[in-house]
């Protein structure tokens, strides 16, 4: 699964590094933090939610490990899909130059 995860992470990292995506994520993070700081009740609700998401994520990872091990041979196909996704992303970046600019531009 390591090669599969690497291929999928590569695609995800590339998408997250696109200026239009990264600037959108930064804006959303600032808005979220600002909302938490200015509204104490909202901050407590958000903190409970964040702890729940962290716990659920850890539990999901623990539960999925045996499944991933069993599916390892079939997952090589997915690795090829990651490579195709990278090629598709290359094509998108070439055809849509706006992806290289932050949202405000």
């Amino acid at each position: 699964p390591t090669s599969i995860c690497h291929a999928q992470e590569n695609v995800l990292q590339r998408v997250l590094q696109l200026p239009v995506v990264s600037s959108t994520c930064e804006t959303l993070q600032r808005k979220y933090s600002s909302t938490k700081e200015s509204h104490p009740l909202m901050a407590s609700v958000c903190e409970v939610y964040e702890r729940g998401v962290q716990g659920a994520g850890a539990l999901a990872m623990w539960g999925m490990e045996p499944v991933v091990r069993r599916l390892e041979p079939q997952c090589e196909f997915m690795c090829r899909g990651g490579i195709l996704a990278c090629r598709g992303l290359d094509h998108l970046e070439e055809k849509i130059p706006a992806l290289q600019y932050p949202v405000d531009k």
Side-chain angles (χ1 to χ4, degrees), residues 1 3-13 75 78-79 82-83:
S3 62
I4 295 145
C5 292
H6 179 67
Q8 290 173 346
E9 287 172 7
N10 187 30
V11 172
L12 181 60
Q13 287 172 349
C75 289
M78 290 173 58
C79 184
I83 293 167

Side-chain angles (χ1 to χ4, degrees), residues 4 14 16-18 23 27 31 36 38-39 77 80 91-92:
I4 295 145
R14 283 190 56 192
L16 291 175
Q17 289 173 357
L18 288 171
S23 69
T27 300
K31 294 282 185 192
K36 280 177 58 174
S38 61
H39 302 287
F77 178 75
R80 289 188 209 112
H91 183 73
L92 278 177

Side-chain angles (χ1 to χ4, degrees), residues 11 14 81-95 99:
V11 172
R14 283 190 56 192
I83 293 167
L84 291 175
C86 282
R87 287 183 189 152
L89 192 52
D90 289 341
H91 183 73
L92 278 177
E93 288 177 306
E94 180 183 313
K95 296 294 181 187
L99 294 174

